[in-house]
Amino acid sequence: MPHPLDAAAVREWSAQALDALGRARETIDAINVYPVADADTGTNLYLTAESAARAVEAACAGEPTPAQAVRAMAHGALIGARGNSGTILAQLLRGMAEEIAEAEAGGACERGEDDGEPLRRALVRAATAARAAVAHPVEGTVLTVAAAAADAAAAAAGDCPTVARAAWSAARAALEATPEQLPALSRAGVVDAGGYGLVTVLGALVAALSGERPGAPAAERSGTPCPIPPPDPHPDPDGGGRTAAQEPAGPACEVVYLLEAGDDAVAALRTRLDALGDSLVVVGGDGLWNVHVHVDDAGAAVEAGIEAGRPFRIRITHFGARGGDRHAGRTPAHAPGRAAPRAVVAVVPGDGLAELCAAAGATTVTARPGEPPASGELAQALLRTGAPEAVLMPNDPELRHTAAAAAEQARAEGLRVAIIPTRSPVQGIAALAVHEPGRRFDEDVVAMTSAAGATRYGELCVAERQAWTTAGICQAGDVLGLIEGDVALIGAQAADVAAAVLDRMLSAGGELVTLVIGAGAPVGLADHLEDHVRRNHLAVDTLVYEGRQSGPLLIGVE
């Protein structure tokens, strides 16, 4: 169903963009060859979008107008922008926010103006603003893709979904042509990574406004197709790809910082930084800016910021061997010579689970209801362990992209990281039970992954409202029994639903049941279920833990 560009649509757009970039992150990283072949564009875009999505969620705690919601998205992207691509994305969003704010102030909606006109103008202004922010625009990059999207939007007639589809379609066509415009892309046999990211973000906009996922005709849509089918990467038939010899030498460092400064000071800063290096992008306004530049003298770039105003959140990244290991030349965050044993970092939903995992030697990050940890929080948890290598257990399928981005940040600091793809805390408990720091890293990861994968998981939760489920219609207050993430049973009593879930899970076999009791569990639930297993399932042992998570019960069967 077509949807106007209101605050709800902006919220949905930011969430879908984050999810789509999470799924495309590794693909985008892999085709990143320009301006530096450091394989981090997908990660940088994801981290930028993550900051934007969190800002939108915070704004939507109230009742924002469309302009306020887009402004929050742009501000979140600005303060969280990573790399060249993230900085440009932040400016694209700022351009949109400024145009939508002006349209709102001018009463375009109240006058009954064409529904698609504000979005049409916003996409045009976004492309103009992004190009103006880059010191030396280059064709065949995200700027070219943005310009194509803007031109198509300006020519499109119709509502917001129509305008968004036109922009996405033109952006995708422009992306496919980028190797013909930029020699570095042609040599590597790939499309532009930043442009790929923008196509992904525009595809999320189409999905938020129309409910349709671009790339899948409505009559053939089935399952959950990717919002943006991967564009043809034009692989090199000889397998050559990019090499250091193919790329000219460039600056040694990337310098990024936020800056509080006036417009005049920033204009002078642009001139000074342009003389120091390349890939200069300065975005923002209203006294707050994000500065990105590649230089050999990182100190001079920071000093220039100090002269212009107050720089903060300063990040300096050494590129190391160009075209080789992108982590080469980076200093590990942990102290050499006194490394702690191999670390395990686990995300857990309750204080009791945190105590349990900590007792088993894990570092825990607590996820509160409605407050999942950000990738930066997980990355800091990994780095604070002081270990030379670590495994990360997200314990939630919704955190898979966040965990991947966190691991990438930690690897950039020299830490060896592996992710155990745990989808529930009970899988994390099973993985921790076989963890052996004395084993070789790869062997430990395999053993933990195998233990997690051999653990089927279920849970009880309470329905908050009437809804359709895979087990039928539920009403507010109903107890839902989930198996592997799907609603399998609906009932009125937690004990009855839990026993039925156990019976279904054990029907496929099992030797050990793990019950994690939540803060909302009825009194005596654990005793009832232990007795049920003892009477109905011979030779099956039961372990009970007080997890104190928000839901009544987590179940694991091994």
Side-chain angles (χ1 to χ4, degrees):
M1 178 181 295
H3 201 294
L5 188 63
D6 55 16
V10 174
R11 185 180 190 181
E12 180 66 15
W13 177 28
S14 67
Q16 292 220 27
L18 180 62
D19 181 67
L21 285 170
R23 283 183 279 111
R25 184 185 63 80
E26 291 184 353
T27 297
I28 299 174
D29 279 348
I31 63 173
N32 172 203
V33 300
Y34 184 87
V36 176
D38 51 357
D40 65 355
T41 293
T43 299
N44 287 338
L45 284 168
Y46 178 84
L47 295 173
T48 303
E50 181 183 52
S51 182
R54 285 183 170 269
V56 173
E57 286 298 314
C60 288
E63 296 182 0
T65 65
Q68 290 170 337
V70 180
R71 187 181 300 117
M73 190 175 180
H75 181 73
L78 175 70
I79 63 175
R82 294 295 190 98
N84 194 61
S85 53
T87 307
I88 292 174
L89 176 60
Q91 191 69 354
L92 287 163
L93 291 171
R94 180 178 177 83
M96 291 187 68
E98 290 174 344
E99 186 61 44
I100 291 172
E102 290 178 10
E104 193 173 277
C109 296
E110 286 79 0
R111 293 196 306 268
E113 187 172 302
D114 174 13
D115 177 53
E117 184 60 23
L119 178 59
R120 198 174 290 121
R121 293 200 300 258
L123 290 170
V124 171
R125 186 156 174 175
T128 302
R131 186 169 288 267
V134 178
H136 300 285
V138 175
E139 297 307 322
T141 64
V142 63
L143 299 178
T144 304
V145 176
D151 290 344
D159 57 11
C160 282
T162 301
V163 173
R165 284 192 203 96
W168 173 82
S169 179
R172 181 168 177 167
L175 175 66
E176 293 172 354
T178 54
E180 302 168 11
Q181 299 170 293
L182 197 56
L185 301 179
S186 178
R187 287 194 297 270
V190 297
V191 295
D192 180 64
Y196 191 122
L198 179 57
V199 172
T200 303
V201 172
L202 289 173
L205 178 61
V206 174
L209 294 174
S210 69
E212 298 177 0
R213 296 178 182 271
E220 300 177 11
R221 188 168 67 246
S222 63
T224 54
C226 177
I228 302 294
D232 179 8
H234 311 299
D236 183 353
D238 296 324
R242 58 182 181 270
T243 67
Q246 291 175 325
E247 300 298 332
C253 304
E254 176 187 63
V255 178
V256 181
Y257 51 79
L258 293 176
L259 177 70
E260 291 180 349
D263 292 358
D264 292 342
V266 169
L269 176 66
R270 289 178 192 268
T271 301
R272 181 167 178 187
L273 291 178
D274 192 27
L276 288 175
D278 60 28
S279 296
L280 173 61
V281 185
V282 181
V283 304
D286 301 321
L288 181 62
W289 308 83
N290 190 304
V291 179
H292 169 281
V293 66
H294 294 172
V295 294
D296 284 318
D297 189 346
V302 175
E303 288 173 7
I306 294 173
E307 292 181 7
R310 186 180 78 87
F312 59 104
R313 293 193 188 178
I314 300 169
R315 293 193 304 274
I316 299 174
T317 303
H318 296 273
F319 291 127
R322 297 175 65 86
D325 181 358
R326 72 187 180 98
H327 304 321
R330 298 190 182 187
T331 303
H334 51 273
R338 299 192 63 182
R342 180 181 308 143
V344 177
V345 175
V347 181
V348 293
D351 295 337
L353 278 166
E355 293 168 4
L356 174 66
C357 292
T363 296
T364 61
V365 177
T366 302
R368 305 296 179 188
E371 299 178 13
S375 59
E377 184 179 354
L378 297 184
Q380 286 303 309
L382 287 165
L383 295 171
R384 281 198 300 268
T385 64
E389 53 192 26
V391 293
L392 173 61
M393 301 191 300
N395 291 334
D396 185 339
E398 296 300 318
L399 290 177
R400 63 192 186 281
H401 299 322
T402 303
E408 197 66 24
Q409 292 177 75
R411 291 179 189 126
E413 299 297 330
L415 180 64
R416 187 182 187 187
V417 183
I419 298 174
I420 309 299
T422 49
R423 302 170 66 84
S424 168
V426 294
Q427 290 189 325
I429 293 171
L432 266 178
V434 301
H435 168 55
E436 287 288 348
R439 260 194 306 235
R440 290 178 54 191
F441 183 74
D442 292 342
E443 292 175 354
D444 200 29
V445 169
V446 169
M448 295 177 72
T449 301
S450 297
T455 303
R456 300 190 300 280
Y457 63 95
E459 66 177 302
L460 295 193
C461 63
V462 179
E464 296 180 354
R465 60 184 180 277
Q466 183 185 67
W468 287 92
T469 76
T470 51
I473 300 175
C474 69
Q475 305 295 329
D478 281 349
V479 178
L480 308 181
L482 284 73
I483 299 177
E484 305 282 333
D486 292 324
V487 178
L489 294 161
I490 301 172
Q493 300 298 323
D496 294 339
V497 175
V501 168
L502 274 170
D503 289 343
R504 287 201 185 186
M505 294 179 70
L506 287 168
S507 66
E511 299 174 350
L512 176 66
V513 168
T514 300
L515 303 175
V516 181
I517 307 302
V523 176
L525 179 62
D527 292 339
H528 172 78
L529 295 177
E530 280 190 283
D531 182 63
H532 177 82
V533 172
R534 186 167 49 251
R535 286 187 292 103
N536 295 281
H537 301 280
L538 299 177
V540 175
D541 295 324
T542 305
L543 293 176
V544 179
Y545 301 108
E546 291 290 335
R548 299 199 295 277
Q549 72 276 8
S550 60
L553 180 67
L554 299 174
I555 302 171
V557 173
E558 302 175 53

